[in-house]
Amino acid sequence: MAVKLRTKWPDPILRQMATILEGYARSHPTASIEAYRQNDVSIRIRIISPEFQRQSRVDREDEVWSILDKLPAETTAEISLLLLLTPAEAANSFASEEFDDPIPSKL
């Protein structure tokens, strides 16, 4: 499944993140990956995957950060939220709700 960006005109940093996450998507075809820019300095990413059910939260983070760490530090510094959830966890997650319906930020 492709990475879904919640914008018609992604900026270069968001496109860079989407490109690197496409590699993750190819090796994890059951994962649903979404990303968007919350504000000028904040990008949110959510990966929902049934494969996470077999992993601890630490293992999930290690796996995804091993991909994201290939990006420049100034790019990854813009990640303000990284949700790594199973489908069941996503259904009951307040953070996932906030991802879907964010409170507008004021900068």
Side-chain angles (χ1 to χ4, degrees), residues 24 28 30-34 45-61 63-64 81-100:
Y24 183 87
H28 298 86
T30 60
S32 169
I33 304 171
E34 295 179 79
I45 300 168
R46 177 175 62 189
I47 302 175
I48 300 173
S49 175
E51 294 177 39
F52 289 151
Q53 191 166 359
R54 297 184 304 271
Q55 295 179 303
S56 70
R57 292 191 187 272
V58 171
D59 290 342
R60 298 173 196 185
E61 293 258 345
E63 180 180 16
V64 174
L81 181 65
L82 178 62
L83 294 174
L84 308 174
L85 305 167
T86 68
E89 291 167 344
N92 298 307
S93 168
F94 290 119
S96 192
E97 281 184 40
E98 167 63 19
F99 187 92
D100 286 328

Side-chain angles (χ1 to χ4, degrees), residues 4-61:
K4 178 182 174 188
L5 298 179
R6 292 185 176 190
T7 180
K8 291 182 182 180
W9 299 283
D11 62 81
I13 291 176
L14 189 55
R15 279 197 306 270
Q16 201 176 19
M17 284 190 193
T19 299
I20 201 99
L21 288 168
E22 288 288 346
Y24 183 87
R26 281 190 296 277
S27 60
H28 298 86
T30 60
S32 169
I33 304 171
E34 295 179 79
Y36 65 91
R37 181 169 287 288
Q38 170 70 5
N39 57 45
D40 291 346
V41 295
S42 175
I43 291 176
R44 293 177 166 190
I45 300 168
R46 177 175 62 189
I47 302 175
I48 300 173
S49 175
E51 294 177 39
F52 289 151
Q53 191 166 359
R54 297 184 304 271
Q55 295 179 303
S56 70
R57 292 191 187 272
V58 171
D59 290 342
R60 298 173 196 185
E61 293 258 345

